[in-house]
Amino acid sequence: MPLRIAFFGLPLAALLLAKDGHSIELCALCRKDALGSHRARRVFGERVLVRPKVTDRALADRVERLAPDLVVSWFWTTRLPMRLVEAARLGGIGVHPSLLPRHRGPDPTTWAILSGDAVTGVSVHRIAEAYDTGAILDQEELAIDPRWTGWDLARALDRPSLRALRRTCQRISRGETIAEIPQDETRVTHAPALGEDEHAIRWSWPTDRVLRHIRALAPTPGAFTEIAGVLVTVLEARKAPRFPDALEPGEGYAEGGHAVIRTGDGAVILVRGEIDGAPVEAEALARLFLAPEPLLG
């Protein structure tokens, strides 16, 4: 039997759930410009709310009057009060872009790359009082391509995320008994949002960590460093095959139209970046170094 859903998040999931035959009784969008917003307004009309304050009593009263079967969260950006969740006959479910309990928190895709994970995935879980702690209803794994940036990984997780959400809603609507697996608290890791200072590249790190840091933060907010007094956002880099042993971590030079910077155990070549929001390629980055001759013969 189709579900009556109070939806919170990005509109694409609400539209797909409606396509599956479920009734979207409320469609609360976390962004007014998200992909599918215009279509959602056409399909759901006055049921669409843009960035409502979920702590407002009026919203809780409205959800309680609707008495939905299920509250669904798909990339909603704030904690949903339990009063909203408990207004639904079957409670609430959300989808998190990691294999919970690994990488609980707001930035799991960044931390999956920072941590060097080979595999990540998505988890459909019960919405609980504390973020990302509810029982697991479904999971789907995804191998991480070592070339992916944080943005690439986030986009790659969209399809399995939607697939797992739709599968779970269909199973609930058919009245299936779904195993609810409590999260193993001994395996919890956290994925907090990085502060601006934490975006800086620490050149004392090993090369692999530097490269993961750059990929994890690309294209935005971006990992940054300072070269000759210029703040550079590094969007792409690769391991340097050679470098002068005399260099200290953070020191660099230009060679063959590329900027090379020493790391804790090697060096990297800067491939692409940004300066003041404008894209710069390898040769422009190399020109920031003043040494007129390469340090390697």
Side-chain angles (χ1 to χ4, degrees):
M1 185 173 181
L3 297 171
R4 299 175 63 255
I5 292 172
F7 178 85
F8 294 81
L10 294 173
L12 183 57
L15 290 164
L16 289 172
L17 290 172
K19 183 179 178 181
D20 291 340
H22 305 296
S23 176
I24 306 301
E25 301 295 310
L26 179 77
C27 183
L29 305 182
C30 58
R31 286 173 43 195
K32 65 179 180 180
D33 59 346
L35 180 67
S37 295
H38 294 301
R39 187 178 171 204
R41 290 187 182 93
R42 290 197 304 271
V43 172
F44 304 127
E46 293 182 355
R47 289 170 283 171
V48 172
L49 301 176
V50 178
R51 290 182 297 191
K53 190 174 181 181
V54 293
T55 55
D56 278 356
R57 181 173 179 175
L59 179 61
D61 290 343
R62 178 172 177 175
V63 174
E64 287 177 347
R65 287 195 301 271
L66 288 171
D69 296 317
L70 189 69
V71 167
V72 171
S73 170
W74 193 70
F75 295 109
W76 182 256
T77 53
T78 61
R79 189 182 69 83
L80 291 179
M82 291 308 293
R83 181 182 172 189
L84 290 179
V85 177
E86 291 165 356
R89 178 175 63 88
L90 300 172
I93 63 172
V95 188
H96 187 72
S98 79
L99 297 174
L100 290 171
R102 188 161 179 79
H103 302 318
R104 285 180 183 171
D107 208 358
T109 52
T110 294
W111 280 93
I113 294 176
L114 288 177
S115 303
D117 293 356
V119 175
T120 187
V122 297
S123 303
V124 182
H125 62 92
R126 281 288 181 187
I127 298 175
E129 182 71 36
Y131 271 128
D132 305 329
T133 62
I136 304 299
L137 306 181
D138 196 353
Q139 288 186 317
E140 191 166 326
E141 293 187 354
L142 177 74
I144 300 176
D145 188 314
R147 298 167 296 180
W148 281 347
T149 65
W151 175 259
D152 294 330
L153 178 56
R155 298 287 68 77
L157 287 170
D158 279 350
R159 286 183 183 275
S161 176
L162 289 166
R163 193 162 53 234
L165 174 63
R166 296 171 78 182
R167 182 167 61 235
T168 301
C169 286
Q170 289 287 55
R171 293 183 67 193
I172 292 172
S173 71
R174 290 195 294 263
E176 292 184 27
T177 299
I178 301 176
E180 300 196 11
I181 303 171
Q183 294 187 37
D184 183 349
E185 294 296 321
T186 67
R187 296 176 54 239
V188 171
T189 66
H190 296 282
L194 296 178
E196 187 173 345
D197 289 346
E198 295 173 292
H199 299 167
I201 301 168
R202 314 295 182 193
W203 293 107
S204 59
W205 289 338
T207 298
D208 286 347
R209 183 175 178 184
V210 168
L211 293 175
R212 289 199 307 269
H213 188 76
I214 291 167
R215 288 193 298 112
L217 296 178
T220 183
F224 68 85
T225 192
E226 188 175 302
I227 303 174
V230 177
L231 197 65
V232 176
T233 300
V234 182
L235 299 178
E236 184 179 354
R238 66 175 185 267
K239 187 176 294 187
R242 58 180 188 159
F243 56 91
D245 290 335
L247 289 180
E248 293 293 326
E251 293 181 337
Y253 64 101
E255 180 181 48
H258 290 91
V260 183
I261 302 181
R262 183 78 155 91
T263 66
D265 65 352
V268 300
I269 295 170
L270 305 188
V271 178
R272 288 188 305 114
E274 286 182 354
I275 296 174
D276 294 331
V280 288
E281 299 300 324
E283 289 189 4
L285 293 170
R287 287 195 295 270
L288 294 174
F289 288 93
L290 302 179
E293 299 293 336
L295 300 181
L296 283 174

